[in-house]
Amino acid sequence: MRLLSQIATRLISYFLVIAFGLTTIFFVPRFAPNDPVEAMLAKVSSTGSFMDAAQSDALRASLTDAFGLQGSLLEQYGRFVKRVLLTGDFGPSLAMYPTPVSELIGRALPWTFGLLLSSTLIAWVLGNFVGLLAGWRPNKASSRIMEAVAITIYPIPYYILALVLSILFSYIWTVFPLTTSVHGAPWSWAFVKSVVWNSILPAASIVIVVFGWWVISVKAQTTALAEEEFIRYARLKGLSDRRIITRYILPNAILPQITFLALQIGLMFNGSIVTEILFEYPGLGHLIYTAVIQGDYNLLMGTISLSIVAVATATMIIDLIYPLLDPRIRAR
């Protein structure tokens, strides 16, 4: 009964967070000075097309209806909630009309997964491994060197590192392509290979910086745990270093890292905006940038809604499985 109550509480919190997030992203863009309908009319006029006042008014009314902007804010919000909850439809993109927002997100998702999922997992595994070894023997020369490297690279902004890597390996040494190129049908083997190949350089800029944070974090926890009484008792019992690390240090040090990893995977749906712009990488971050610049309400709501749901879901899953990972929580 207590378990059901805890699950129900977390589910209620989960849906409240999503509801608050969706409400916020609906209203905030509408207070921005950009008017997507007027921007579309200006784009039509810039092509040299002539329209009299009646034609302009008719087109304005048609675009307002197509973009779901007719009526008061509350009426628009009601239609937005009904459409999103029932069909998951965010309507057409205002900047790339008439392409649906869902189609644009579907195109960008493989690229974001190829970049951020791989870089996050690689940095997490390597960072935890190196940090664990460095924290277990903090006075060894190798541990000090690893800590110094981590401290050096951690403060570097990832976009600065991305720019340096781009100059080195795309301009000076043309190892990787300067701009993203796609081959093959979506989700085909050729397409997957092109995603992986185009993701190597952007991923390296993220892995190197995030790796430093994981090393510092895990090393600090491991060093503190090594001085705990239960670790001293394990040493007095004559247990090997390998057994102490795998059975006592790692289970305690890894718990916060699992939480941070889940949040990082959830935030992956934001994309990596600056990196994607630098490498012309067609991921979700680039879509968000396009939506903000061009005042594309629908695209902005679609991409950020996906991020909100992903972060909330990752947090809820971690809350639900934490008792399986930590026996102390089960005991409560």
Side-chain angles (χ1 to χ4, degrees), residues 111-166:
W111 293 94
T112 295
F113 278 132
L115 172 62
L116 295 181
L117 183 61
S118 59
S119 59
T120 299
L121 292 178
I122 291 171
W124 187 79
V125 172
L126 291 179
N128 280 277
F129 178 75
V130 173
L132 192 66
L133 296 181
W136 178 244
R137 291 284 185 257
N139 295 322
K140 291 183 65 175
S142 58
S143 297
R144 292 178 178 178
I145 292 173
M146 288 186 288
E147 183 180 16
V149 170
I151 292 174
T152 301
I153 62 177
Y154 169 62
I156 301 175
Y158 72 91
Y159 50 86
I160 298 296
L161 189 59
L163 186 60
V164 171
L165 292 176
S166 178

Side-chain angles (χ1 to χ4, degrees), residues 201-284:
L201 206 56
S205 65
I206 299 174
V207 168
I208 293 173
V209 174
V210 177
F211 166 80
W213 186 88
W214 289 118
V215 171
I216 296 171
S217 174
V218 178
K219 180 184 180 298
Q221 293 182 61
T222 304
T223 302
L225 286 169
E227 300 300 323
E228 294 286 345
E229 294 296 332
F230 68 94
I231 298 298
R232 293 180 180 177
Y233 181 71
R235 285 172 169 165
L236 290 175
K237 286 179 63 178
L239 297 181
S240 65
D241 286 355
R242 180 178 179 180
R243 185 175 178 82
I244 294 175
I245 291 174
T246 56
R247 295 295 299 274
Y248 297 96
I249 298 288
L250 182 60
N252 288 278
I254 204 67
L255 287 173
Q257 312 310 317
I258 293 175
T259 302
F260 291 138
L261 175 64
L263 293 177
Q264 288 293 323
I265 292 176
L267 290 171
M268 181 175 65
F269 290 88
N270 282 332
S272 183
I273 296 177
V274 178
T275 298
E276 291 181 13
I277 293 172
L278 285 174
F279 291 99
E280 296 186 16
Y281 195 84
L284 290 172

